[in-house]
Coordinates of all heavy atoms in Angstrom, one line a residue:
F310 N 8.7 10.5 2.1 CA 7.5 10.8 2.9 C 7.8 11.0 4.4 O 7.1 11.8 5.0 CB 6.4 9.6 2.7 CG 5.7 9.8 1.4 CD1 5.8 8.8 0.4 CD2 4.8 10.8 1.2 CE1 5.2 8.9 -0.8 CE2 4.1 10.9 0.0 CZ 4.3 10.0 -1.0
R311 N 8.7 10.2 4.9 CA 9.1 10.5 6.3 C 9.6 11.9 6.5 O 9.3 12.5 7.5 CB 10.1 9.4 6.8 CG 9.5 8.1 7.2 CD 10.5 7.3 8.0 NE 11.8 7.1 7.3 CZ 12.0 6.0 6.5 NH1 11.1 5.1 6.4 NH2 13.2 5.9 5.9
G312 N 10.4 12.4 5.6 CA 10.9 13.7 5.7 C 9.8 14.8 5.6 O 9.7 15.7 6.4
I313 N 8.8 14.5 4.7 CA 7.7 15.4 4.6 C 6.8 15.4 5.8 O 6.4 16.4 6.3 CB 6.8 15.1 3.3 CG1 7.7 15.3 2.1 CG2 5.6 15.9 3.3 CD1 7.0 14.8 0.8
A314 N 6.6 14.2 6.4 CA 5.8 14.1 7.6 C 6.4 14.7 8.8 O 5.8 15.4 9.6 CB 5.5 12.6 7.9
A315 N 7.8 14.6 8.9 CA 8.5 15.3 10.0 C 8.4 16.8 9.9 O 8.1 17.5 10.9 CB 10.0 14.9 10.0
Q316 N 8.5 17.3 8.7 CA 8.3 18.8 8.5 C 6.9 19.2 8.9 O 6.7 20.3 9.5 CB 8.7 19.2 7.1 CG 10.1 19.0 6.7 CD 10.4 19.4 5.3 OE1 9.5 19.8 4.6 NE2 11.7 19.2 4.9
L317 N 5.9 18.5 8.5 CA 4.5 18.8 8.8 C 4.2 18.7 10.3 O 3.5 19.5 10.8 CB 3.5 17.9 8.0 CG 3.5 18.1 6.5 CD1 2.6 17.1 5.8 CD2 3.1 19.5 6.1
T318 N 4.9 17.8 10.9 CA 4.7 17.6 12.4 C 5.3 18.8 13.1 O 4.7 19.3 14.1 CB 5.3 16.3 12.9 OG1 4.7 15.2 12.2 CG2 5.1 16.1 14.4
E319 N 6.4 19.3 12.7 CA 7.1 20.4 13.3 C 6.2 21.7 13.1 O 6.2 22.5 14.0 CB 8.4 20.7 12.7 CG 9.5 19.6 13.0 CD 10.8 19.8 12.3 OE1 10.9 20.8 11.5 OE2 11.7 19.0 12.5
R320 N 5.5 21.8 12.0 CA 4.6 22.9 11.8 C 3.2 22.8 12.4 O 2.4 23.7 12.3 CB 4.5 23.2 10.3 CG 5.8 23.5 9.6 CD 5.6 23.6 8.1 NE 6.8 23.7 7.4 CZ 6.9 23.7 6.1 NH1 5.8 23.6 5.3 NH2 8.1 23.9 5.5
G321 N 3.0 21.6 13.0 CA 1.7 21.4 13.6 C 0.5 21.1 12.7 O -0.6 21.1 13.0
R322 N 0.9 20.7 11.4 CA -0.1 20.4 10.4 C -0.4 18.9 10.4 O 0.1 18.2 9.5 CB 0.3 20.9 9.1 CG 0.6 22.4 9.1 CD 1.3 22.9 7.8 NE 0.4 22.8 6.6 CZ 0.8 23.2 5.4 NH1 1.9 23.7 5.2 NH2 -0.1 23.1 4.4
L323 N -1.2 18.5 11.4 CA -1.4 17.0 11.6 C -2.3 16.4 10.5 O -2.1 15.3 10.2 CB -1.9 16.8 13.0 CG -1.1 17.3 14.1 CD1 -1.8 17.0 15.5 CD2 0.3 16.7 14.1
A324 N -3.2 17.2 10.0 CA -4.1 16.7 9.0 C -3.3 16.3 7.7 O -3.5 15.3 7.1 CB -5.2 17.7 8.7
E325 N -2.4 17.3 7.3 CA -1.6 17.0 6.1 C -0.7 15.8 6.3 O -0.4 15.0 5.4 CB -0.8 18.2 5.8 CG -1.6 19.4 5.2 CD -2.3 20.2 6.2 OE1 -2.2 19.8 7.4 OE2 -2.9 21.2 5.9
R326 N -0.2 15.6 7.6 CA 0.6 14.5 7.9 C -0.1 13.2 7.7 O 0.4 12.2 7.1 CB 1.2 14.6 9.3 CG 2.2 13.5 9.6 CD 2.6 13.5 11.1 NE 1.5 13.0 11.9 CZ 1.5 12.9 13.2 NH1 2.6 13.2 13.9 NH2 0.5 12.5 13.9
S327 N -1.4 13.1 8.1 CA -2.2 11.9 7.9 C -2.5 11.7 6.4 O -2.5 10.6 6.0 CB -3.5 12.1 8.7 OG -3.3 12.2 10.1
L328 N -2.7 12.8 5.7 CA -2.9 12.6 4.3 C -1.7 12.1 3.6 O -1.8 11.3 2.6 CB -3.4 14.0 3.7 CG -3.9 13.9 2.2 CD1 -5.1 13.0 2.1 CD2 -4.2 15.3 1.8
V329 N -0.5 12.5 4.0 CA 0.8 12.0 3.4 C 0.9 10.5 3.7 O 1.3 9.8 2.8 CB 1.9 12.8 4.0 CG1 3.3 12.1 3.8 CG2 2.0 14.2 3.5
S330 N 0.5 10.1 4.9 CA 0.6 8.7 5.2 C -0.3 7.9 4.3 O 0.0 6.8 3.8 CB 0.2 8.5 6.7 OG 0.2 7.1 7.0
L331 N -1.6 8.4 4.1 CA -2.5 7.7 3.2 C -2.0 7.6 1.8 O -2.0 6.6 1.1 CB -3.9 8.3 3.3 CG -5.0 7.7 2.4 CD1 -5.2 6.2 2.8 CD2 -6.2 8.5 2.5
T332 N -1.4 8.8 1.3 CA -0.9 8.8 0.0 C 0.3 7.9 -0.2 O 0.4 7.2 -1.3 CB -0.4 10.3 -0.3 OG1 -1.5 11.2 -0.1 CG2 0.1 10.4 -1.7
R333 N 1.1 7.7 0.8 CA 2.2 6.8 0.7 C 1.7 5.3 0.5 O 2.3 4.6 -0.3 CB 3.1 6.9 2.0 CG 4.2 5.9 2.0 CD 5.0 6.0 3.3 NE 4.1 5.7 4.5 CZ 3.8 4.5 4.9 NH1 4.2 3.4 4.3 NH2 3.0 4.4 6.0
R334 N 0.7 5.0 1.2 CA 0.1 3.6 1.1 C -0.5 3.4 -0.2 O -0.3 2.3 -0.8 CB -0.9 3.4 2.2 CG -0.3 3.5 3.6 CD -1.3 3.3 4.7 NE -0.7 3.5 6.0 CZ -1.4 3.4 7.2 NH1 -2.7 3.0 7.1 NH2 -0.8 3.6 8.3
V335 N -1.2 4.4 -0.7 CA -1.8 4.2 -2.1 C -0.7 4.1 -3.1 O -0.8 3.3 -4.1 CB -2.7 5.4 -2.4 CG1 -3.2 5.4 -3.8 CG2 -3.9 5.4 -1.4
L336 N 0.4 4.9 -3.0 CA 1.5 4.9 -3.9 C 2.2 3.5 -3.9 O 2.6 3.0 -4.9 CB 2.5 6.0 -3.6 CG 3.6 6.2 -4.5 CD1 3.1 6.5 -5.9 CD2 4.6 7.3 -4.0
D337 N 2.3 2.9 -2.7 CA 2.8 1.6 -2.6 C 2.1 0.6 -3.5 O 2.7 -0.2 -4.2 CB 2.9 1.1 -1.2 CG 3.9 1.8 -0.3 OD1 4.8 2.5 -0.9 OD2 3.9 1.7 0.9
V338 N 0.7 0.7 -3.4 CA -0.1 -0.2 -4.2 C 0.1 0.0 -5.7 O 0.3 -0.9 -6.5 CB -1.6 -0.1 -3.8 CG1 -2.4 -0.9 -4.7 CG2 -1.8 -0.4 -2.4
L339 N 0.2 1.3 -6.1 CA 0.3 1.7 -7.5 C 1.7 1.2 -8.0 O 1.8 0.7 -9.1 CB 0.2 3.2 -7.7 CG -1.2 3.7 -7.5 CD1 -1.2 5.2 -7.7 CD2 -2.2 3.1 -8.4
I340 N 2.7 1.4 -7.2 CA 4.1 0.9 -7.6 C 4.1 -0.6 -7.8 O 4.7 -1.1 -8.7 CB 5.1 1.4 -6.5 CG1 5.3 2.9 -6.5 CG2 6.5 0.7 -6.8 CD1 6.1 3.4 -5.4
F341 N 3.4 -1.3 -6.9 CA 3.4 -2.8 -7.0 C 2.7 -3.2 -8.3 O 3.2 -4.1 -9.0 CB 2.6 -3.4 -5.8 CG 2.5 -4.8 -5.9 CD1 3.5 -5.7 -5.5 CD2 1.3 -5.4 -6.3 CE1 3.4 -7.1 -5.6 CE2 1.1 -6.8 -6.4 CZ 2.2 -7.6 -6.0
V342 N 1.6 -2.5 -8.6 CA 0.9 -2.9 -9.9 C 1.7 -2.6 -11.1 O 1.8 -3.4 -12.0 CB -0.5 -2.1 -9.9 CG1 -1.1 -2.3 -11.3 CG2 -1.4 -2.5 -8.8
V343 N 2.4 -1.4 -11.1 CA 3.3 -1.1 -12.2 C 4.4 -2.1 -12.4 O 4.7 -2.6 -13.5 CB 3.8 0.3 -12.1 CG1 4.8 0.6 -13.2 CG2 2.6 1.3 -12.2
V344 N 5.1 -2.4 -11.2 CA 6.2 -3.4 -11.3 C 5.7 -4.7 -11.7 O 6.4 -5.4 -12.5 CB 6.9 -3.4 -9.9 CG1 7.9 -4.6 -9.8 CG2 7.6 -2.1 -9.6
A345 N 4.6 -5.2 -11.3 CA 4.0 -6.5 -11.7 C 3.7 -6.5 -13.1 O 4.0 -7.5 -13.8 CB 2.8 -6.8 -10.8
L346 N 3.1 -5.4 -13.7 CA 2.8 -5.4 -15.1 C 4.1 -5.4 -15.9 O 4.2 -6.0 -17.0 CB 2.0 -4.2 -15.4 CG 0.6 -4.2 -14.9 CD1 -0.2 -2.9 -15.2 CD2 -0.2 -5.4 -15.4
L347 N 5.1 -4.6 -15.5 CA 6.4 -4.7 -16.2 C 7.0 -6.1 -16.2 O 7.5 -6.5 -17.2 CB 7.4 -3.7 -15.6 CG 7.1 -2.2 -15.8 CD1 8.1 -1.3 -15.0 CD2 7.2 -1.9 -17.3
A348 N 6.9 -6.7 -15.0 CA 7.5 -8.1 -15.0 C 6.7 -9.0 -15.9 O 7.3 -9.9 -16.6 CB 7.4 -8.6 -13.5
L349 N 5.4 -8.9 -16.0 CA 4.6 -9.7 -16.9 C 5.0 -9.4 -18.4 O 5.1 -10.4 -19.2 CB 3.1 -9.4 -16.7 CG 2.5 -9.9 -15.4 CD1 1.1 -9.4 -15.3 CD2 2.4 -11.4 -15.4
S350 N 5.2 -8.2 -18.7 CA 5.6 -7.8 -20.1 C 7.0 -8.4 -20.4 O 7.2 -8.9 -21.5 CB 5.6 -6.3 -20.3 OG 6.5 -5.7 -19.5
W351 N 7.9 -8.3 -19.4 CA 9.2 -8.9 -19.7 C 9.2 -10.4 -19.8 O 10.1 -11.0 -20.5 CB 10.2 -8.5 -18.5 CG 10.5 -7.1 -18.5 CD1 10.4 -6.2 -19.5 CD2 11.0 -6.3 -17.3 NE1 10.8 -4.9 -19.1 CE2 11.1 -5.0 -17.7 CE3 11.2 -6.7 -16.0 CZ2 11.6 -4.0 -16.9 CZ3 11.7 -5.7 -15.2 CH2 11.8 -4.4 -15.6
M352 N 8.2 -11.0 -19.2 CA 8.0 -12.5 -19.4 C 7.1 -12.9 -20.5 O 6.7 -14.0 -20.6 CB 7.5 -13.1 -18.1 CG 8.4 -12.8 -16.9 SD 7.6 -13.4 -15.3 CE 7.7 -15.2 -15.5
N353 N 6.9 -11.9 -21.4 CA 6.1 -12.1 -22.7 C 4.7 -12.5 -22.4 O 4.1 -13.3 -23.2 CB 6.9 -13.1 -23.6 CG 8.2 -12.6 -24.0 OD1 8.4 -11.6 -24.7 ND2 9.2 -13.3 -23.5
V354 N 4.1 -12.0 -21.3 CA 2.7 -12.3 -21.0 C 2.0 -11.1 -21.7 O 2.4 -10.0 -21.6 CB 2.5 -12.3 -19.5 CG1 1.0 -12.5 -19.2 CG2 3.2 -13.5 -18.9
N355 N 0.8 -11.4 -22.3 CA 0.0 -10.4 -22.9 C -0.5 -9.5 -21.8 O -1.5 -9.8 -21.1 CB -1.2 -11.0 -23.7 CG -1.9 -10.0 -24.6 OD1 -1.8 -8.8 -24.4 ND2 -2.6 -10.6 -25.5
V356 N 0.1 -8.3 -21.7 CA -0.3 -7.4 -20.6 C -1.7 -6.8 -20.9 O -2.4 -6.5 -20.0 CB 0.8 -6.2 -20.5 CG1 0.3 -5.2 -19.4 CG2 2.1 -6.8 -20.2
T357 N -2.0 -6.6 -22.2 CA -3.4 -6.1 -22.5 C -4.4 -7.0 -22.0 O -5.4 -6.6 -21.4 CB -3.5 -5.9 -24.0 OG1 -2.5 -5.0 -24.4 CG2 -4.8 -5.3 -24.3
A358 N -4.2 -8.3 -22.2 CA -5.2 -9.3 -21.7 C -5.2 -9.3 -20.2 O -6.2 -9.5 -19.6 CB -4.8 -10.7 -22.3
A359 N -4.0 -9.2 -19.6 CA -3.9 -9.2 -18.2 C -4.7 -8.0 -17.6 O -5.4 -8.1 -16.6 CB -2.5 -9.2 -17.7
L360 N -4.5 -6.8 -18.2 CA -5.2 -5.6 -17.7 C -6.7 -5.8 -17.9 O -7.5 -5.4 -17.0 CB -4.7 -4.4 -18.5 CG -3.3 -3.9 -18.1 CD1 -2.9 -2.8 -19.1 CD2 -3.3 -3.4 -16.7
A361 N -7.1 -6.4 -19.0 CA -8.5 -6.6 -19.2 C -9.1 -7.6 -18.2 O -10.2 -7.4 -17.6 CB -8.8 -7.1 -20.6
G362 N -8.3 -8.6 -17.9 CA -8.7 -9.6 -16.9 C -8.8 -9.0 -15.5 O -9.7 -9.2 -14.8
L363 N -7.8 -8.1 -15.2 CA -7.8 -7.5 -13.9 C -8.9 -6.5 -13.8 O -9.5 -6.3 -12.8 CB -6.5 -6.7 -13.7 CG -5.2 -7.6 -13.5 CD1 -4.0 -6.7 -13.4 CD2 -5.3 -8.4 -12.3
G364 N -9.3 -5.9 -15.0 CA -10.5 -5.0 -15.0 C -11.8 -5.7 -14.7 O -12.6 -5.3 -13.9
I365 N -11.9 -6.9 -15.4 CA -13.1 -7.7 -15.1 C -13.1 -8.2 -13.7 O -14.1 -8.2 -13.0 CB -13.2 -8.8 -16.1 CG1 -13.4 -8.2 -17.5 CG2 -14.4 -9.7 -15.8 CD1 -13.4 -9.2 -18.6
G366 N -11.9 -8.7 -13.3 CA -11.8 -9.2 -11.9 C -12.0 -8.1 -10.9 O -12.6 -8.3 -9.8
G367 N -11.5 -6.9 -11.2 CA -11.7 -5.7 -10.3 C -13.2 -5.4 -10.2 O -13.6 -5.0 -9.1

Side-chain angles (χ1 to χ4, degrees):
F310 279 113
R311 277 198 302 268
I313 297 174
Q316 294 179 1
L317 294 176
T318 303
E319 292 176 358
R320 300 175 185 175
R322 302 171 67 177
L323 301 180
E325 288 82 355
R326 189 188 68 177
S327 300
L328 191 59
V329 166
S330 177
L331 180 61
T332 304
R333 176 183 60 80
R334 298 178 185 181
V335 174
L336 185 61
D337 287 348
V338 176
L339 293 178
I340 293 173
F341 177 81
V342 172
V343 171
V344 170
L346 291 177
L347 287 176
L349 287 171
S350 63
W351 292 339
M352 298 174 71
N353 299 293
V354 176
N355 191 342
V356 179
T357 303
L360 287 175
L363 291 176
I365 296 175

